[in-house]
Amino acid sequence: MPTLLLHHPKFLEHETPHGHPERPDRLRAIDRILEHERFQSLERDLATSANDEQIARVHPTSYIQHIRASAPEDGLARIDADTAMSPGTLDAALLGAGAACTAVDEVMTGKVSNAFCAIRPPGHHAEKSTAMGFCFFNNAGIAARQAQAAHGAERVAIVDFDVHHGNGTQDIFWDDPSVFYGSTHQMPLYPGTGALTETGAGNIYNAPLSAGADGEVFKEAARTRILQPLKDFRPDLVIISAGFDAHVRDPLAELRLTEADFSWITYHLMEIADQCCHGRVVSVLEGGYDLEGLARSAAAHVMALMDA
Ligand SMILES: [Zn+2]
């Protein structure tokens, strides 16, 4: 069965202030590298928008209304110091959440073996009622609820290797033992959460890493603090918050991962998914701000997924 790639040209219409790292060129770089013939066997599909019912499983209706009402007709509307909406942002955010839900539908029904959502804006900093850190809707969280509500999944895991801690995902599932959240991230770094002691209902697994940590340190932390508890959790679906800003070239952080490390973690997550849930993996793009590091890392990640 193929790997599904969900994309949409409207993701490029979410504009950010001049010089902002979370820019349309990020997806252009990924689109370009995935044009290579070694990705020919990907099943490519256009994203469709999430509906309010799907989003409301994670975000209160009042918050969805607030985001809708904040969308500008022209120019940029500031949501916080580093998060802004352009006229194309709302559609892109709805399509991103929708892509994550479609990926879950296709993977849970066995139509594809796994899926990668090449989407923006990212999602893992979006808390239940707060847009922040370039994020509006928590795509991975919405995907987890889609698996539970529409497909009867009992236990869903979200593994987040973005260099920043996914405070939003942790916030959403803090007291919900049916969802496992495991994160490797640099600490201290934005947003400041993600300490080892933050364990929620015993379902939160944080593996903070110091600036300068390389692939070996990352692998050891991932193995002991994330992968082992993930196996014990026995997920019905593994969702990946796939940020590639832990790459050595990334300008926003100081970890020293390479493409091979992203390939490594992807294979290990696929192996656990094979053991627990017929290989069901849904990956959603989060951060990654060096265009070359991002494109090469995303390519390594997708190559691994295609090897299912
Ligand atoms: Zn990040």
Side-chain angles (χ1 to χ4, degrees), residues 4-8 11 43 45-47 98-100 102-103 115-119:
L4 175 65
L5 171 69
L6 285 162
H7 63 119
H8 201 288
F11 292 132
E43 181 172 319
D45 219 340
L46 286 177
T102 300
F116 178 65
C117 302
I119 60 178

Side-chain angles (χ1 to χ4, degrees), residues 40-61:
Q40 232 171 24
S41 67
L42 281 173
E43 181 172 319
R44 294 161 199 261
D45 219 340
L46 286 177
T48 54
S49 298
N51 59 44
D52 280 15
E53 183 193 336
Q54 290 171 318
I55 299 172
R57 294 180 189 131
V58 161
H59 301 287
T61 306

Side-chain angles (χ1 to χ4, degrees), residues 124-125 134 160 162-165 189-190 243-246 250 252 286-289:
H124 73 153
H125 294 306
F134 322 161
D160 183 337
D162 188 281
V163 81
H164 303 96
H165 180 243
L189 189 69
Y190 182 90
F244 300 102
D245 40 9
D250 199 274
L252 296 198
E286 301 285 357
Y289 304 100

Side-chain angles (χ1 to χ4, degrees), residues 12 26 39 46 58 82 114-115 119 133 142 151 171 181 187 196 206 221 245 250-251 253 290 293-295 305:
L12 302 177
R26 297 178 58 237
F39 296 105
L46 286 177
V58 161
D82 50 25
N114 53 38
I119 60 178
I142 292 166
H151 301 282
D171 170 64
Y181 177 63
M187 197 171 187
L196 274 175
N206 284 310
D245 40 9
D250 199 274
D290 174 77
L294 169 65
L305 289 175

Side-chain angles (χ1 to χ4, degrees), residues 203-215:
N203 60 322
I204 308 282
Y205 294 84
N206 284 310
L209 303 168
S210 302
D214 64 8

